[in-house]
Amino acid sequence: MKVIVMDNALEISKAASDIIIKQVNNKHGSVLGFATGASPVETYKRIIEAYERNEVSLKYITTFNLDEYVGLDRENVNSYFYFMKDNLFGKTDVDFSRVNFLSGTAENMEAECERYSQKIKESGGIDIQLLGIGTNGHIGFNEPGDKFADGPFAVKLTQSTIDSNKKYFEAVGDTMPEYALTMGIGDIMRSKKIILIATGESKAKAVKELVEGEVSPACPATILKLHADVTVFLDKESAALLSKDR
Ligand code: GLP
């Protein structure tokens, strides 16, 4: 796991977007795994700027997103589909027919998870998976637990995750869903390359566990240590608790 501490979120976004843009330009029909939340937003902005300068086209990429809230349809401003449309897809030439999402309104969640799993396989696998990290060490919505999940599944969100994310729902007078669908740890680990972005003091504890802790489902992100190609981008605040002699 390569850990890179940068001055701020802007520097991180430049480095992370460079890797993604290179991937897209080097391989026609690249398969990208995207994340939601505040962490990747700046990176998406840099990709949009590169698109506007004609330095990259997203027309032929296939995309998979990590997760979606149960009960929210695509038009809901707090759905992760809406987030991606608003923060990246709708501002570039992404072809929505190649955008893949877990559906939060699927009648049969198990079948929906199986469908998504098949889609990932059929795509040939994810070339780059972008990740954030929850304050409790979750990736996607793989919450701390006693085992790592392989494929996509429905998850009951922990109180810590609800506390971190409920502000977005309260802002529009909604209650945050308690369940989500998420890619499993296996899906994430099968990605050829992984980029994780963590910024701000609130992530410092999870980052310390990720970098210095043992691999354990109690902090799901620690599994990334077993992957051959992971780059972790940190700002000074999120790296603050790391041992100096690392
Ligand atoms: C959310 C998402 C994750 C995201 C994480 C951190 O709950 N499910 O994919 O990485 O929490 O979010 P943020 O970047 O807003 O801190």
Side-chain angles (χ1 to χ4, degrees):
M1 199 163 69
K2 210 192 302 171
V3 179
I4 303 176
V5 183
M6 304 194 105
D7 278 345
N8 51 50
L10 179 63
E11 295 308 313
I12 293 174
S13 72
K14 286 181 191 163
S17 62
D18 274 357
I19 298 171
I20 294 168
I21 290 165
K22 247 182 225 138
Q23 168 68 42
V24 173
N25 286 336
N26 286 344
K27 181 181 162 192
H28 181 82
S30 285
V31 181
L32 298 182
F34 287 124
T36 50
S39 308
V41 168
E42 284 299 313
T43 299
Y44 295 153
K45 280 189 191 154
R46 303 289 88 73
I47 297 174
I48 294 165
E49 287 164 8
Y51 163 73
E52 287 169 347
R53 291 193 299 264
N54 286 319
E55 290 166 10
V56 69
S57 164
L58 302 188
K59 200 164 176 185
Y60 297 105
I61 66 166
T62 292
T63 77
F64 287 91
N65 260 79
L66 285 167
D67 42 19
E68 183 58 282
Y69 289 110
V70 167
L72 302 195
D73 63 32
R74 295 177 161 204
E75 309 309 319
N76 189 304
V77 290
N78 276 305
S79 74
Y80 282 160
F81 183 90
Y82 192 99
F83 175 99
M84 288 307 299
K85 197 171 145 192
D86 205 31
N87 284 287
L88 182 66
F89 298 159
K91 293 176 172 145
T92 63
D93 58 350
V94 159
D95 177 349
F96 277 88
S97 72
R98 276 192 287 273
V99 166
N100 294 284
F101 245 88
L102 282 155
S103 167
T105 54
E107 266 177 40
N108 182 336
M109 303 220 188
E110 235 172 86
E112 174 59 8
C113 290
E114 185 48 36
R115 179 195 69 81
Y116 204 60
S117 177
Q118 278 307 323
K119 273 278 185 190
I120 298 174
K121 279 186 199 125
E122 282 163 21
S123 76
I126 295 169
D127 290 306
I128 298 186
Q129 177 64 56
L130 188 58
L131 295 177
I133 185 170
T135 50
N136 62 3
H138 74 230
I139 47 177
F141 269 137
N142 289 267
E143 296 279 35
D146 48 21
K147 56 179 178 10
F148 293 113
D150 183 46
F153 65 106
V155 58
K156 186 170 185 352
L157 301 173
T158 60
Q159 195 55 47
S160 142
T161 296
I162 292 174
D163 290 343
S164 300
N165 290 341
K166 67 180 179 194
K167 56 181 181 280
Y168 301 115
F169 292 87
E170 286 170 354
V172 292
D174 277 348
T175 320
M176 181 170 156
E178 286 178 14
Y179 288 87
L181 297 181
T182 181
M183 268 189 207
I185 290 293
D187 298 312
I188 294 170
M189 291 294 280
R190 282 186 285 275
S191 308
K192 291 159 201 155
K193 187 183 195 67
I194 296 175
I195 301 171
L196 185 145
I197 298 174
T199 59
E201 203 188 334
S202 68
K203 302 293 171 70
K205 237 178 106 228
V207 163
K208 186 171 175 67
E209 198 57 35
L210 162 66
V211 178
E212 296 173 4
E214 298 282 312
V215 174
S216 160
C219 178
T222 55
I223 192 87
L224 299 176
K225 284 186 214 289
L226 304 182
H227 192 284
D229 188 355
V230 178
T231 305
V232 176
F233 287 110
L234 306 175
D235 65 358
K236 289 182 176 147
E237 288 74 19
S238 67
L241 297 177
L242 294 182
S243 306
K244 300 283 173 271
D245 57 354
R246 240 179 6 94

